[in-house]
Amino acid sequence: MDIGEEKPAIIVEPIEDPFSIPKEKPAEKPQPVNVPVPEKVPA
Amino acid sequence: MSDQAPDLIGEVVGWRAWRVIGSKQLPMLASVVARNFIWSPQRWTSAACEGCSHCTRFPESVDNDQCIPGEHCSCGLYAAASREQLVGSLGYNQYADDLNPVFIGEVGLVGKVIPGTQGWRAEKGRIRKLYVPFHLVDYVEPLERLYRVPVLLDNTWKKTASLEGRL
């Protein structure tokens, strides 16, 4: 194949490897939720 | 790849043709002119020296990463700048025969890339998309399964895509 008049070489680096197997994201551990305790018990 | 800081982040996208070898159930895409050079499915394909005059005279340079593609040789993975150039001026469909059809498609080129006015030759490449002639529809699914890229039916003799999709 004739690519025509050649120019100086460049270095091209892929953003990410398209063939890499995506790692499974570990399941997030549920964080405890603080529920405020009312001072007076409603009637 | 080179340890030199990159000039471009991403891929250079070009067009090229491949000769299909193997069976319809297991089609492999090979270089049109170098029939033994197969483009690897699902990984980067690296250019190899086919014994060009420069590398033959200076075999020690073959082990040097800077040789392929070399400024003083013709090694590298070639791609045209556009589909129009590939099909029109280069006419790669002429290499097709009854036993080994020729498919065209997009490639992504990385590593050391030498730009030209009509295309590129590069250190590494991957297939991004394939175009298959309508009458060879049986190749679509095996190619998709093997190369894991979009495979579209099209009139591959045309300089532009006639439709983006499948029948």
Side-chain angles (χ1 to χ4, degrees):
Chain A
M1 182 186 291
D2 180 15
I3 63 172
E5 185 180 340
E6 293 188 351
K7 303 169 189 176
I10 59 173
I11 302 299
V12 181
E13 189 171 305
I15 298 173
E16 59 181 9
D17 184 0
F19 306 109
S20 61
I21 300 172
K23 293 180 182 177
E24 288 188 10
K25 195 175 179 182
E28 290 185 6
K29 185 178 179 182
Q31 297 294 323
V33 178
N34 288 325
V35 178
V37 176
E39 293 182 359
K40 293 183 180 180
V41 177
Chain B
M1 297 186 202
S2 172
D3 294 330
Q4 185 180 333
D7 299 295
L8 180 68
I9 301 295
E11 296 177 346
V12 169
V13 180
W15 284 79
R16 62 166 292 136
W18 296 270
R19 184 187 302 276
V20 181
I21 61 174
S23 64
K24 271 187 182 177
Q25 293 72 34
L26 193 65
M28 299 298 288
L29 300 174
S31 168
V32 171
V33 294
R35 298 190 180 212
N36 294 328
F37 187 85
I38 295 175
W39 278 64
S40 309
Q42 302 181 49
R43 63 185 177 99
W44 293 106
T45 295
S46 296
C49 175
E50 294 294 322
C52 68
S53 57
H54 176 266
C55 295
T56 301
R57 289 176 57 198
F58 305 102
E60 66 279 1
S61 66
V62 177
D63 297 327
N64 187 337
D65 287 343
Q66 298 301 312
C67 176
I68 302 174
E71 281 76 359
H72 303 292
C73 69
S74 58
C75 303
L77 300 179
Y78 282 72
S82 67
R83 173 174 170 153
E84 182 175 358
Q85 277 180 324
L86 179 71
V87 175
S89 53
L90 296 172
Y92 264 81
N93 278 298
Q94 64 181 316
Y95 290 98
D97 55 46
D98 292 338
L99 293 177
N100 302 107
V102 170
F103 297 159
I104 65 173
E106 289 181 13
V107 291
L109 305 175
V110 297
K112 181 182 178 183
V113 179
I114 294 179
T117 53
Q118 299 177 42
W120 299 273
R121 57 188 177 102
E123 178 186 352
K124 291 178 187 282
R126 71 175 180 106
I127 298 173
R128 292 167 51 103
K129 190 185 290 185
L130 290 168
Y131 291 87
V132 173
F134 290 107
H135 66 286
L136 297 175
V137 59
D138 291 342
Y139 282 96
V140 171
E141 204 171 322
L143 283 171
E144 283 183 335
R145 187 171 58 246
L146 188 59
Y147 281 89
R148 300 288 175 91
V149 297
V151 181
L152 307 176
L153 290 169
D154 197 16
N155 181 350
T156 57
W157 285 87
K158 288 183 67 175
K159 297 178 184 178
T160 56
S162 53
L163 55 88
E164 287 284 333
R166 297 175 55 183
L167 292 178

